[in-house]
Amino acid sequence: MMKSFRVVAAAALLTVAAAAVSADHPTTYTVKRGDTLWDIAGRFLKRPWLWPEIWQANPQIRNPHLIYPGDVISLAYLDRVAVQPGARTDAPVTGVPLAEVEPFLKNLRIVDRIDDMPYVVGIEEDHEHAVGGSVVYIKGVDAQPGQRWAVVRPTVRYARLDRTACCDLFHADDLDYRGRRTLDGANFWTNAVTPDKGSEILGYELMQQSTGTISRGMVGGIEAATLVLDGNGREVRVGDRLVPVQPQPYDLQFFPHAPKAQFEYGRAQVLAVADELAHGGRRDVVALSVGARDGIDNGTVFSTWRVGSTAVDRVRKGGRDPDTVGRGDKVRLPDEFASHVMVFRTFDKVSYALVMDGIRPTAIGQELKHPDAPY
């Protein structure tokens, strides 16, 4: 891996970069701890998601992503100016602030099915809940002593509903301790407000509650193995599922780039907003209705758009009651740009993204488009 890199030359800027470089870009910039590729690119690019295209236009740069705190970045038009490397004592910067997405990297995952997963069938001394240091009993896996397992709880079911005249409908449902849908409104995500007619299941979201170590397998005809919970984490209850502990199940580097292709209108939308009633702002996390099977990978940047309303043409139709007008009496209004989001965790049919910037809140049901879609 290269420990230094050079700046963009005038020839490269005349292609992709010509339209992307900001008029007030700095001459030099010293990378600081806590910076992200998005922040740095935003200092001298109109479109930060073009960062890889600009740097990769220069064959002398073997790895344009390894940028470290202390590096001095210089932007020159007339010649290639060497970048001064820093001390390389810190980790390279990434596309998003890791501290703000860490809970979603460590504690959340999406799976296609939950019915056949091993689960907590009982807790020591018949308690209803277990905390760190307690013993729980698990069923559905031939676990061996010393194995490490994560206790997870199904919290949300994402589904694609029947298609309307213009687009798909999506829904996010809360789940109870068995993984069944519930009407309880106290949840981690905001529910999408759409009628549930049933269609394709996009996935079940699992929230990690704790981790533990198997102390005793299924011996002597006993149908449950014994798991000793670690000293930290959330409380565990009967019905929680289990997955093997993975040493590094997620990426730590995210490089902003545009999606590989534009989706059919209505195919890609904002599914849910974390910790919010209905809307999210900068640095909030949202769930998206597309994933790896759709060509999405970590670092993919979308623009989100409020879907245009359908208004009654009162001038043409003489101020009719909106409840009685026909289809031909209505006008579809334009979509309105809301924000840019960048994917940082990708599953097969669902992905998580961070809101990077915007001019209005990011909300459930907003359309996902190419980041260069015209305003």
Side-chain angles (χ1 to χ4, degrees):
M1 291 185 178
M2 188 177 181
K3 297 300 183 181
S4 64
F5 56 89
R6 298 180 182 275
V7 298
V8 180
L13 288 171
L14 290 176
T15 55
V16 177
V21 177
S22 175
D24 58 351
H25 68 83
T27 302
T28 62
Y29 176 72
T30 302
V31 181
K32 300 178 178 59
R33 183 181 300 177
D35 278 343
T36 67
L37 293 180
W38 186 280
D39 295 333
I40 297 171
R43 289 179 175 268
F44 58 87
L45 297 181
K46 298 175 184 177
R47 294 175 286 177
W49 51 91
L50 288 184
W51 171 275
E53 296 183 44
I54 293 175
W55 289 113
Q56 289 172 0
N58 295 268
Q60 80 278 10
I61 302 175
R62 288 182 296 189
N63 193 329
H65 299 134
L66 289 182
I67 304 169
Y68 294 79
D71 286 353
V72 179
I73 299 176
S74 177
L75 188 65
Y77 287 95
L78 300 180
D79 54 12
R80 299 170 187 249
V81 180
V83 169
Q84 302 175 13
R88 298 297 194 269
T89 57
D90 295 309
V93 302
T94 183
V96 298
L98 290 176
E100 298 187 21
V101 301
E102 186 176 30
F104 299 86
L105 293 172
K106 290 185 175 181
N107 299 329
L108 292 179
R109 69 193 73 195
I110 302 289
V111 297
D112 292 333
R113 295 176 52 86
I114 59 174
D115 292 340
D116 52 359
M117 296 179 65
Y119 56 91
V120 176
V121 69
I123 298 175
E124 64 176 337
E125 299 183 6
D126 298 327
H127 290 165
E128 293 185 1
H129 302 90
V131 294
S134 300
V135 169
V136 300
Y137 306 107
I138 63 176
K139 183 179 180 181
V141 59
D142 185 14
Q144 301 300 318
Q147 289 182 349
R148 297 277 294 158
W149 289 82
V151 182
V152 296
R153 181 171 300 165
T155 55
V156 180
R157 188 196 75 163
Y158 293 119
R160 185 190 313 281
L161 307 181
D162 290 344
R163 185 174 178 82
T164 66
C166 71
C167 54
D168 291 341
L169 295 176
F170 298 92
H171 195 58
D173 289 307
D174 296 339
L175 302 176
D176 64 12
Y177 73 96
R178 299 168 300 173
R180 308 281 180 83
R181 289 188 298 164
T182 175
L183 298 178
D184 184 4
N187 67 335
F188 187 71
W189 296 92
T190 300
N191 275 341
V193 183
T194 53
D196 186 0
K197 300 179 182 179
S199 186
E200 181 189 16
I201 302 300
L202 297 181
Y204 295 86
E205 185 178 81
L206 306 177
M207 178 177 288
Q208 182 167 307
Q209 301 297 115
S210 184
T211 54
T213 304
I214 297 293
S215 64
R216 179 174 54 191
M218 295 183 292
V219 296
I222 301 299
E223 299 181 14
T226 303
L227 181 76
V228 180
L229 299 179
D230 294 339
N232 51 14
R234 303 179 179 88
E235 67 175 15
V236 172
R237 63 191 183 195
V238 171
D240 287 340
R241 268 51 172 196
L242 292 107
V243 295
V245 170
Q246 298 176 321
Q248 186 61 51
Y250 48 82
D251 293 336
L252 292 176
Q253 290 289 312
F254 315 101
F255 310 125
H257 59 273
K260 299 174 183 176
Q262 175 64 47
F263 292 102
E264 175 189 3
Y265 192 88
R267 175 68 180 80
Q269 298 179 14
V270 176
L271 271 178
V273 180
D275 290 334
E276 295 292 334
L277 294 176
H279 304 85
R282 187 172 183 269
R283 296 297 189 256
D284 282 329
V285 174
V286 295
L288 310 181
S289 67
V290 287
R293 71 168 183 178
D294 307 295
I296 304 304
D297 57 356
N298 291 342
T300 300
V301 178
F302 288 105
S303 57
T304 73
W305 294 70
R306 180 186 181 277
V307 176
S309 303
T310 300
V312 176
D313 189 345
R314 297 180 182 273
V315 174
R316 184 177 179 84
K317 298 302 176 182
R320 284 187 182 178
D321 184 343
D323 296 329
T324 62
V325 297
R327 180 175 297 179
D329 301 333
K330 298 180 180 179
V331 177
R332 169 68 189 278
L333 304 181
D335 294 350
E336 294 292 344
F337 169 76
S339 66
H340 288 113
V341 301
M342 185 167 72
V343 173
F344 64 85
R345 187 89 191 270
T346 308
F347 298 92
D348 187 36
K349 305 173 187 176
V350 176
S351 56
Y352 297 138
L354 188 69
V355 180
M356 306 304 295
D357 59 43
I359 61 174
R360 54 175 54 88
T362 304
I364 294 169
Q366 286 182 347
E367 186 75 9
L368 302 178
K369 301 182 182 181
H370 191 283
D372 287 331
Y375 285 24

